[in-house]
Amino acid sequence: MDLPVVLDDWSWAEQPISSSINIDALFLRKPETPDWKKLSQFYPYCPGGEIIFWLCPIEDTDWTLFEVENGQWILMPLTNFPAHEESLKGPITPISEHERNGENIWIYLARYPLKQLQTAMMSYYSQKVDSFQSIEQENDVWILKENMGRVIFSEQGEYVILAHFL
């Protein structure tokens, strides 16, 4: 993956976001925390950093850099894809779309605690959930009815990453 200037000078490790979501992200190795001064010199138009996730359009890609648990920083390119019939509803931001083994996977980012996010989404999906499963936390997998697939919630520090598999 070609990284933007400044970010390409840092050391990254590509690894899955969590054991339950089979989507890779770049985890910052060195420096341990982003050099916000250097980023703001190269990208003064990009909002965020330090306390909120950094969002930056660079060339044809929107990039996000955000802190998860234990001071770990994740860098991901955002995919701008149009809303689709299967789009999840709730206080979430779509960040990526993939196809893997014939399955479509949409990734969303939420800046809410897991239980609050699930409560908010349950107001819309209560009649559409067929069952719950638990992988990393209680009820972190929702199996949806009517061929709507499954949703996996992965808590990452202040953020929750959702993967919607169809």
Side-chain angles (χ1 to χ4, degrees), residues 7 10 12 17 24-28 32-34 36 39 47-55 63-69 71-78 93 95 107-111 154-162:
L7 298 168
W10 301 349
W12 301 92
I17 294 172
D24 291 338
L26 295 173
F27 286 75
L28 183 61
E32 288 183 13
T33 59
W36 298 112
L39 281 175
E50 297 189 55
I51 42 179
I52 61 169
F53 66 90
W54 182 73
L55 186 61
W63 293 87
T64 185
L65 179 63
F66 58 96
E67 185 178 15
V68 292
E69 55 198 16
Q72 181 63 66
W73 290 86
I74 291 179
L75 175 69
M76 291 182 70
L78 303 182
T93 303
I95 61 173
I107 305 298
Y108 299 84
L109 178 68
R111 190 158 192 233
S154 179
E155 195 166 32
Q156 301 290 319
E158 293 181 25
Y159 301 89
V160 176
I161 296 175
L162 289 80

Side-chain angles (χ1 to χ4, degrees), residues 24-142:
D24 291 338
L26 295 173
F27 286 75
L28 183 61
R29 292 288 181 225
K30 287 187 182 177
E32 288 183 13
T33 59
D35 184 340
W36 298 112
K37 185 176 179 182
K38 201 171 218 179
L39 281 175
S40 66
Q41 287 174 341
F42 274 84
Y43 308 107
Y45 57 91
C46 296
E50 297 189 55
I51 42 179
I52 61 169
F53 66 90
W54 182 73
L55 186 61
C56 194
I58 303 169
E59 294 177 12
D60 295 332
T61 305
D62 290 335
W63 293 87
T64 185
L65 179 63
F66 58 96
E67 185 178 15
V68 292
E69 55 198 16
N70 302 326
Q72 181 63 66
W73 290 86
I74 291 179
L75 175 69
M76 291 182 70
L78 303 182
T79 304
N80 291 326
F81 56 92
H84 50 89
E85 189 176 311
E86 298 87 9
S87 290
L88 293 178
K89 310 229 180 335
I92 55 180
T93 303
I95 61 173
S96 186
E97 177 184 17
H98 303 276
E99 185 178 330
R100 184 174 289 163
N101 300 327
E103 194 170 42
N104 289 322
I105 307 165
W106 288 273
I107 305 298
Y108 299 84
L109 178 68
R111 190 158 192 233
Y112 296 93
L114 178 62
K115 294 301 176 196
Q116 288 179 346
L117 174 63
Q118 288 178 324
T119 299
M121 290 184 69
M122 188 54 73
S123 67
Y124 180 79
Y125 289 100
S126 63
Q127 300 298 314
K128 297 177 184 192
V129 175
D130 187 44
S131 63
F132 298 98
Q133 295 177 0
S134 301
I135 296 176
E136 293 177 347
Q137 294 191 21
E138 184 180 356
N139 297 335
D140 60 355
V141 178
W142 293 6

